[in-house]
Amino acid sequence: MRPEVILALLTRGTQGLVLLAAAICVVWRLNAVEQGVFFVYISLGALLQLSDFGLAYASLQTASHLAVPGGEGSFARFRQKAHRLNFAIMLGAVVLVGALGGLILSSRLNAEHPGMHWAASWAAFIFAVFLTQLVSLELALIEGGRSPPLAWSIRFFQELVSGVVLIGVLIGGAGLWSLAAYWATRFGFTALWLSVARSAFHQPYGPADTTFNWRKEVWPFQWKIGLSILCGFLIFQAFNPIVLVEQGPVIAGQFGMSLALMNMLIVVTTAWPLSQAARYGGLIQREQFGELRRVFWPMCIASSLISGLAALALFLALTWTTEHKLQYVDRFADTVTTGILLATAVVHHITHCFSVVLRAERRDPTLPFTVIGSVALVVVIWLCARYGGPRDIALANLALTIPGIPIVIFLYWRRRARWMAVLEAPSP
């Protein structure tokens, strides 16, 4: 197994364990209302992370294409431009997401729970996420243009240190402030590492190539991946704010806990395919399509089996705790709802495997389907939240997710036919 795969699995595994431990601490140290607000914070924080509009992912893929002999000047120009754009985009995003979160939270909390103080912790949280996004771009550049194992090793220690802080402050009774401490630690660790250990990864790239044109060379890919990623927010994270507005913080907290279990499974199991993004981009750049096919299918099949087995294990564990009426089990949605969400996680994993290889060519053929599906999902989820319950939301989510599998398989085979045509074309 390649070093970046091992490090990615360690990183995502650590993140998954942290999420699991945090979930335990949330139900132990937070009341039912605070639990709902906690998960709304996480959802809106994810929106702020994704507000770079695909810049980080586009930077990773572009760096992997520029990190070839003769591309040093173009890489220097690209890196400089990427950091300037990242700061401008995130500065606007933190203002918009901060205001949106204030409106959503105040819509139910100010009237129903007037004694709850959330505004200061919310402001600190989104500012800490904003700072972290400013330094996280450099990790994508390191992964794509320098060394994937190095980037993933930094992420591993980042997850480890910030996870310890999160669990510690939750146990200590920091409540909603714990998320601000978690993200502030992520920023501090990454910024310190980049400052102190820069000589360990930095290499001179020569003078900037003034002919590099972002609008022509990056933007055609970035806007597509950015729109796709924002649609991903609607697919994975928009549930909690919608449920809070329609059904209140307690139901939002229960559904949010089950949704967190689903997302934890996705985060851990997709580490393997995600770690191969830069590798697939390099293989496509060198037109090594045979090697690409050879390494893709074992990864897709094996990681999907791992995802399915992990989902089954989590479902059986939750069923056991429910049957034995263990303390705090009522902080989750019912067992059927949670099981449906875990099945949805496996479906998402399979589509993610294909999406990584399809996007490695700096294109996103899944975009039209993603946009249509995400918009339809939000409309249906909102209707289910208003007129139904958590189980209806979970069933609608699964029903709208399953068609993604035949779509990405079809797109992959169509792209594979084009690759084969390139290989079989006579040399000039």
Side-chain angles (χ1 to χ4, degrees):
M1 190 175 289
R2 293 173 64 88
E4 66 268 25
V5 175
I6 297 173
L7 289 166
L9 290 172
L10 283 173
T11 301
R12 297 308 189 192
T14 300
Q15 188 176 12
L17 290 174
V18 168
L19 290 173
L20 181 61
I24 295 172
C25 292
V26 164
V27 300
W28 173 35
R29 302 295 290 170
L30 274 62
N31 60 41
V33 174
E34 290 173 331
Q35 176 179 316
V37 177
F38 184 90
F39 285 115
V40 171
Y41 275 27
I42 291 177
S43 293
L44 294 174
L47 176 60
L48 181 56
Q49 287 181 269
L50 301 177
S51 296
D52 71 343
F53 206 64
L55 180 61
Y57 197 93
S59 297
L60 187 155
Q61 290 293 352
T62 304
S64 70
H65 285 260
L66 293 177
V68 295
E72 294 83 359
S74 295
F75 185 93
R77 180 69 172 172
F78 165 75
R79 179 177 176 274
Q80 183 183 56
K81 183 71 172 179
H83 278 292
R84 287 204 301 263
L85 282 174
N86 188 46
F87 178 80
I89 293 171
M90 296 310 302
L91 187 61
V94 74
V95 175
L96 293 176
V97 174
L100 175 64
L103 289 173
I104 291 173
L105 292 164
S106 62
S107 67
R108 295 296 293 250
L109 297 180
N110 289 354
E112 299 176 8
H113 306 280
M116 184 176 181
H117 303 290
W118 55 269
S121 61
W122 166 246
F125 166 67
I126 62 167
F127 184 67
V129 176
F130 163 72
L131 292 177
T132 305
Q133 288 302 104
L134 296 184
V135 297
S136 294
L137 175 63
E138 187 66 24
L139 296 184
L141 292 167
I142 293 172
E143 180 179 359
R146 177 67 172 86
S147 169
L150 179 59
W152 280 103
S153 66
I154 300 170
R155 292 184 181 119
F156 168 70
F157 287 107
Q158 179 193 60
E159 293 293 345
L160 186 63
V161 174
S162 60
V164 170
V165 170
L166 175 62
I167 303 306
V169 295
L170 275 172
I171 293 175
L176 296 176
W177 286 91
S178 58
L179 286 172
Y182 170 73
W183 282 99
T185 303
R186 293 174 71 85
F187 163 72
F189 175 85
T190 308
L192 181 63
W193 197 96
L194 292 173
S195 298
V196 174
R198 176 170 292 273
S199 60
F201 67 87
H202 180 71
Q203 64 184 62
Y205 290 108
D209 180 4
T210 56
T211 64
F212 181 84
N213 190 310
W214 187 284
R215 183 170 57 86
K216 294 181 180 179
E217 300 185 50
V218 182
W219 181 246
F221 171 66
Q222 185 191 340
W223 79 263
K224 295 176 183 177
I225 198 68
L227 183 58
S228 178
I229 289 175
L230 287 179
C231 290
F233 167 79
L234 301 179
I235 295 170
F236 294 105
Q237 294 289 352
F239 298 82
N240 291 327
I242 291 174
V243 176
L244 182 137
V245 170
E246 294 296 339
Q247 301 190 6
V250 175
I251 301 299
Q254 292 173 334
F255 190 84
M257 185 66 75
S258 295
L259 188 68
L261 200 62
M262 181 194 88
N263 288 330
M264 179 191 71
L265 181 61
I266 294 172
V267 164
V268 174
T269 60
T270 57
W272 188 352
L274 183 62
S275 70
Q276 299 302 290
R279 183 187 184 190
Y280 293 162
L283 290 173
I284 290 173
Q285 176 69 12
R286 297 187 295 271
E287 296 187 350
Q288 296 177 344
F289 302 124
E291 176 68 9
L292 178 62
R293 295 197 310 273
R294 189 187 68 81
V295 299
F296 168 70
W297 280 107
M299 178 279 297
C300 181
I301 295 171
S303 65
S304 297
L305 287 173
I306 292 172
S307 177
L309 291 173
L312 179 61
L314 288 171
F315 176 72
L316 292 176
L318 186 63
T319 301
W320 183 87
T321 59
T322 302
E323 290 177 351
H324 289 78
K325 296 181 173 59
L326 297 187
Q327 190 178 14
Y328 301 122
V329 72
D330 59 337
R331 292 291 191 91
F332 286 86
D334 64 271
T335 306
V336 174
T337 298
T338 306
I340 295 170
L341 290 174
L342 290 172
T344 307
V346 179
V347 176
H348 278 302
H349 176 92
I350 296 171
T351 58
H352 184 83
C353 289
F354 286 91
S355 296
V356 169
V357 73
L358 289 170
R359 292 171 179 170
E361 206 169 8
R362 293 197 295 173
R363 301 179 183 180
D364 190 3
T366 65
L367 182 59
F369 306 98
T370 303
V371 173
I372 295 171
S374 63
V375 173
L377 179 64
V378 168
V379 172
V380 172
I381 293 305
W382 207 306
L383 291 172
C384 290
R386 173 160 289 191
Y387 300 107
R391 190 175 299 182
D392 302 306
I393 297 173
L395 280 171
N397 183 24
L398 178 60
L400 289 174
T401 302
I402 289 176
I405 294 180
I407 289 172
V408 293
I409 291 176
F410 168 75
L411 292 173
Y412 172 80
W413 284 105
R414 190 172 69 171
R415 185 59 55 86
R416 179 183 180 276
R418 191 176 67 81
W419 292 338
M420 292 301 295
V422 172
L423 289 176
E424 295 170 359
S427 302

